[in-house]
Amino acid sequence: MNAVVGIALPERERLPAGPARDLVEALHRLYQGAGMPGVRRIAGAVVDGDFADTVSHEKVAAMLRGSGLPRWSKLEPVVRVLAAWNNPPLDPDRQTAAFQALWRAAATRSPGRRRIVIPSDGNDRRKMELLNAVVTYMLEQGSAAATLRDLSRAAGSNNRMLLYYFGSKENLVREALDVALLRYPLVKDADRHIARLDIPLKARLDETWRALCREENLPFLRLLFESVGLAVHQPGRIPGLLRHFGHDWVDTATDALVKDGLPDGPARLLAKEIVALWRGLQLDLLTTGDMEEATAVHDVAAAAIAGRAELLRGRTSCIESNGSSALQ
């Protein structure tokens, strides 16, 4: 069987750290999750799809090599195609929103490289400048006590301008959380570990936890839990956050467990237990700072969860086997 050979991520000497590299690295994660398909296949899917623009296979290759910044109209369909080809499939709308923020950041400022002018309304560029400034403020100071005036000062702007671009403080905070997550790829992509089927469940749980609990992720985790607390008291304050926090990861884990051979009902319950374990230990880590103890607790609990999953899988196989025998 031949190994899959695709386009490699460009070396840092050629594409140094910065917004442009962040965009290319995110595209490569999507590309790898899709099985590193051929660029002609990707371009063909874009041409055959219902998109506003087409893209050549040479342009797809250039995107993956980081050779210049593509037009958004050409990058978006590639993102949507690769998201659909991931295993499990990724939400194309969420991926598009995340990549658009990365693309705008790369277009707005690319350290060490020639400034790229955004080929769209200048309002988009100004909005992203404001949003990135607000994200930096919120990661450092939080959002609970922040007034709109605080956020406008942090952005070097005024209340009227923020309301023009975002409509309300609530919308601004929600968009800022999405952009903040892009700065922490270990958190953003951590749920993909649980979706892997090529390693045992215990190893997947351990990989996910170790990605989540890295010290570099703590600023985002502080902001996330603070925002969830605010949304619990006022559900409309940060639209969509409670749905994401309470359901999205559970859905991903459930799908992975079902593909691993567990029945739907038990898989859902076990997935909620897994996500509750991670959320609880994240909160413990924020309050105690004891990474070693939190990880030790996780590993014991993960072993017990993996053991119960194996028992459920065995029972399901036995029932299916007995059912097949009865039909013969």
Side-chain angles (χ1 to χ4, degrees), residues 88 243 246-257 268 271-272 275:
R243 163 71 200 180
H247 296 281
D248 288 358
W249 275 42
V250 174
D251 291 344
T252 299
T254 300
D255 290 344
L257 292 172
R268 181 75 181 180
K272 288 186 75 72
V275 175

Side-chain angles (χ1 to χ4, degrees), residues 111-168:
R113 297 168 69 86
R114 182 173 58 86
R115 182 182 177 88
I116 303 170
V117 179
I118 300 176
S120 65
D121 193 330
N123 285 346
D124 287 343
R125 181 174 64 239
R126 180 55 179 152
K127 180 178 179 180
M128 283 308 302
E129 290 173 350
L130 295 170
L131 195 52
N132 277 306
V134 168
V135 167
T136 298
Y137 175 87
M138 287 171 51
L139 287 169
E140 294 174 353
Q141 306 294 332
S143 65
T147 64
L148 188 62
R149 184 178 297 276
D150 292 329
L151 298 179
S152 65
R153 285 174 178 167
S157 185
N158 54 60
N159 293 3
R160 183 178 173 183
M161 189 63 68
L162 291 187
L163 291 175
Y164 168 76
Y165 281 110
F166 302 99
S168 68

Side-chain angles (χ1 to χ4, degrees), residues 183-237:
R183 298 188 185 182
Y184 297 88
L186 289 175
V187 176
K188 183 174 72 69
D189 298 328
D191 59 341
R192 294 182 63 173
H193 294 295
I194 191 67
R196 293 180 58 183
L197 299 179
D198 58 326
I199 58 176
L201 178 59
K202 173 63 164 63
R204 284 142 60 191
L205 297 177
D206 290 346
E207 277 191 2
T208 307
W209 170 248
R210 281 158 176 77
L212 290 172
C213 73
R214 294 278 290 272
E215 186 173 354
E216 63 211 65
N217 296 330
L218 296 184
F220 177 76
L221 295 180
R222 280 193 288 268
L223 177 60
L224 175 63
F225 277 93
E226 177 192 47
S227 301
V228 168
L230 294 172
V232 167
H233 284 288
Q234 302 176 48
R237 182 166 180 171

